[in-house]
Amino acid sequence: MNIRVAVLAVLTLTMALAMGPAASAATDGSARVALVIGNAVYPDSEAPLKEPINDARDVAAELKRNGFDVETGENMTGDAMRLALKRLYTRIKPGSVALIFFSGYGIQSGRQSYLIPVDAQLWTEADVRRDGFSLETILGEINNRGAGVKIALLDASRRNPFERRFRSFSAGLAPVIAPSGSLVMYSAALSSVVGDVSADHSLFVSELLKEIRVPGLTAEQTLNRTRVGVTRASRAEQVPWISSSLAEDFYFVPGQGGQADAALMPSTPHRPQAQAPSAPVAPPPSASAPPASDPAASAAPAPAPATTPAESMAPPHTPAPSQTPAVASAPSEPAPSPAQVPEPAAEPRPQARDDHKTELALAEDPTIKSLTARIAAKTDDASALYRRGQVYASKGAYALAIKDFDATIRLNPKDVEAYNNRCWVRTVIGELQAARRDCDEALRLRRNFVDALDSRGLLNLKSGANKKAIADFDAALKINPRLTSSLYGRGLARQRSGAVAEGSLDIANAKAMDPDIAKEFAGYGVR
């Protein structure tokens, strides 16, 4: 169900139009470079680490969506890391934003933090300095190449098998002496380590991805919110460390000003690898009421009604509850099979003529106009098609959103995000059989993809397959226990299955985390 949050990334383009050349430079892919490394298979370790590969892939995908030119490395040897760093340095131009993300083992030695390649041979602390890569050296070289903003994100505060070989050592990572204009974050406090986890994604990366998708936050705000989220989720057992010497504001996803940014700022965690929270979606557009022009049709349940251009860009959590068709209580089990799931006549897919009218009504939207120009110049620009689909969905133009997701998938049949988002849109408008195929394909492409589990849980809830909904929401909550939508959805499914007390507890806990969660589900036609 991540479209409700991922869609916010499209605001980057709108901000660029509003701010002119300076913003355009900031969102230009050539001005943002990143190296993302996930090292999981260390021969000296008893078993491969579970999180680094998944985390590196998810971080890389998000950075690409936000305009970074990203190189990704998995299970990199010392030679491979050395060459990758050299390539990173050569891609830096004066004023660039340069980011390095590392997940794997890190070691503190001589008051410096070292990133460890998978083939490191470490028996003494001198070996650490020989085979490891000093974070201070990396940041210094990035600075020497002229980068204006230097960001390092390290999920390397793990107890590692090398440390026990040293007669004396300091656990965790050391404070970094970084050049001006740097922002550094460790997944845990200085000289602290994170306990072993059994999840496929780390808590740190889950919270980071949730916050990095929120528009209008400076990089410092993004990382501070990540620290708060990790601290709360771990009950203060894990407290990330941040060091900043930034002299200018940098935004992963620019917003459109104070009021819009405040309205879009999530109050609860999101679902996947940890993203921002969800909210209800506007009803499908009609010929008589284009979604972009009717303030009532785009009013979010929590923020004030959308009456300004910035507010009209709110994510797909927007309808007034009275406009959303209610769905009758779900039937009891056994649930219908996918082939038998009825598609509610109350939520028909718009006709082609309505699609055209809606498309014309939205054509002058700054973000859509910019994306359409990109697509016209390069018809196989999958990223632009995907982003435009998100904008259409955010404005209730679901049929147009599906067309863009269709095109994205034709260009890249393995685009798991496009499958998941198309599943979610189809679920909202009642195309449940097609939605199920999309969710199943997303989960085939990425096993245990928490967004798709959450989306399919909603799909099963709407179709009356309560036991299946519980199973999907259970799986999602196992990955991210703070996923409010899955907690609330499971509560509804449990109540409908007869487990009233358990369901009521889930619902109460979800409402405590997000007081507007019931309005969100009402926006999906689920009460």
Side-chain angles (χ1 to χ4, degrees):
M1 252 196 281
N2 72 329
I3 187 174
R4 292 159 304 171
V5 177
V7 68
L8 301 177
V10 302
L11 291 169
T12 305
L13 294 173
T14 304
M15 190 65 173
L17 293 172
M19 294 178 62
S24 297
T27 56
D28 179 5
S30 64
R32 297 181 171 200
V33 297
L35 174 60
V36 175
I37 299 173
N39 282 352
V41 182
Y42 289 84
D44 289 273
S45 185
E46 294 179 357
L49 297 171
K50 293 184 177 181
E51 312 99 324
I53 301 300
N54 291 334
D55 287 345
R57 291 174 180 175
D58 292 339
V59 169
E62 188 58 36
L63 292 176
K64 287 177 182 177
R65 293 195 187 283
N66 291 330
F68 279 83
D69 175 15
V70 182
E71 178 179 350
T72 307
E74 299 178 2
N75 293 321
M76 301 188 82
T77 63
D79 288 342
M81 284 182 64
R82 190 170 294 105
L83 291 174
L85 286 166
K86 287 182 178 179
R87 288 192 294 271
L88 173 67
Y89 302 149
T90 60
R91 289 187 289 144
I92 296 172
K93 296 177 174 60
S96 293
V97 177
L99 181 149
I100 181 167
F101 170 88
F102 178 83
S103 180
Y105 285 135
I107 291 182
Q108 176 182 163
S109 177
R111 298 185 180 180
Q112 289 196 41
S113 295
Y114 290 84
L115 317 184
I116 307 303
V118 296
D119 64 344
Q121 298 294 315
L122 308 182
W123 294 95
T124 68
E125 290 204 54
D127 296 337
V128 175
R129 295 186 285 275
R130 180 197 66 203
D131 289 355
F133 293 83
S134 163
L135 177 60
E136 289 187 7
T137 300
I138 293 171
L139 290 172
E141 185 61 28
I142 290 174
N143 185 62
N144 292 339
R145 297 297 178 116
V149 175
K150 298 156 282 286
I151 300 175
L153 306 173
L154 271 59
D155 193 2
S157 301
R158 297 178 171 93
R159 179 75 66 192
N160 65 70
F162 309 110
E163 290 176 338
R164 66 176 68 102
R165 298 173 180 171
F166 307 151
R167 184 165 298 175
S168 63
F169 66 87
S170 296
L173 301 180
V176 60
I177 301 175
S180 177
S182 298
L183 180 59
V184 179
M185 185 172 196
Y186 298 161
S187 58
L190 298 175
S191 300
S192 298
V193 293
V194 178
D196 292 335
V197 296
S198 58
D200 291 332
H201 295 83
S202 74
L203 174 61
F204 170 68
V205 170
S206 293
E207 292 295 325
L208 173 66
L209 287 173
K210 179 186 73 175
E211 301 300 348
I212 210 172
R213 291 167 174 152
V214 180
L217 298 181
T218 65
E220 288 181 331
Q221 290 172 323
T222 297
L223 299 193
N224 279 324
R225 287 164 60 109
T226 300
R227 177 173 59 186
V228 171
V230 171
T231 303
R232 287 176 176 171
S234 67
R235 297 186 178 182
E237 291 182 3
Q238 179 179 347
V239 181
W241 177 83
I242 300 173
S243 172
S244 176
S245 61
L246 291 182
E248 59 183 286
D249 286 338
F250 168 73
Y251 301 82
F252 288 103
V253 183
Q256 282 200 327
Q259 187 173 5
D261 295 342
L264 295 173
M265 196 169 295
S267 58
T268 59
H270 179 287
R271 45 234 44 150
Q273 309 107 282
Q275 303 161 1
S278 36
V281 178
S286 66
S288 61
S293 60
D294 184 359
S298 59
T307 57
T308 69
E311 290 167 321
S312 70
M313 287 299 297
H317 36 255
T318 51
S322 61
Q323 294 174 308
T324 306
V327 174
S329 298
S332 59
E333 305 290 354
S337 66
Q340 299 171 323
V341 174
E343 298 191 11
E347 298 182 55
R349 183 165 173 172
Q351 299 298 316
R353 62 179 180 274
D354 294 334
D355 294 351
H356 182 64
K357 186 170 182 178
T358 302
E359 190 171 10
L360 290 176
L362 296 175
E364 293 305 312
D365 176 273
T367 303
I368 290 177
K369 190 174 183 179
S370 174
L371 289 167
T372 300
R374 281 179 54 183
I375 295 166
K378 186 181 179 183
T379 56
D380 61 348
D381 189 337
S383 177
L385 284 162
Y386 177 85
R387 287 178 180 271
R388 192 176 67 177
Q390 291 179 309
V391 182
Y392 280 141
S394 76
K395 293 180 173 294
Y398 300 119
L400 294 173
I402 289 174
K403 286 181 180 179
D404 278 349
F405 293 140
D406 288 345
T408 303
I409 291 169
R410 281 195 297 272
L411 291 169
N412 180 10
K414 295 185 178 181
D415 192 324
V416 65
E417 298 282 356
Y419 278 113
N420 174 58
N421 288 343
R422 191 171 68 177
C423 168
W424 180 78
V425 172
R426 283 173 164 171
T427 298
V428 169
I429 66 176
E431 293 184 357
L432 302 183
Q433 294 181 42
R436 187 178 301 278
R437 290 193 294 270
D438 283 341
C439 272
D440 288 346
E441 180 63 12
L443 287 165
R444 186 189 71 80
L445 290 169
R446 186 184 296 174
R447 184 172 173 269
N448 292 329
F449 179 26
V450 69
D451 277 350
L453 288 168
D454 193 45
S455 296
R456 196 172 66 179
L458 175 65
L459 163 64
N460 284 322
L461 190 63
K462 289 194 73 171
S463 66
N466 295 313
K467 289 182 179 178
K468 292 181 179 179
I470 292 170
D472 281 335
F473 290 137
D474 277 344
L477 289 165
K478 184 177 180 181
I479 299 168
N480 182 358
R482 300 173 65 234
L483 195 52
T484 315
S485 59
S486 283
L487 186 60
Y488 187 82
R490 187 177 69 178
L492 292 178
R494 281 176 164 175
Q495 285 187 336
R496 294 176 182 183
S497 298
V500 177
E502 292 179 354
S504 297
L505 180 61
D506 277 348
I507 290 172
N509 287 333
K511 286 183 176 179
M513 295 167 65
D514 180 3
D516 294 316
I517 191 67
K519 293 181 181 179
E520 174 183 332
F521 271 70
Y524 308 143
V526 178
R527 300 176 185 273

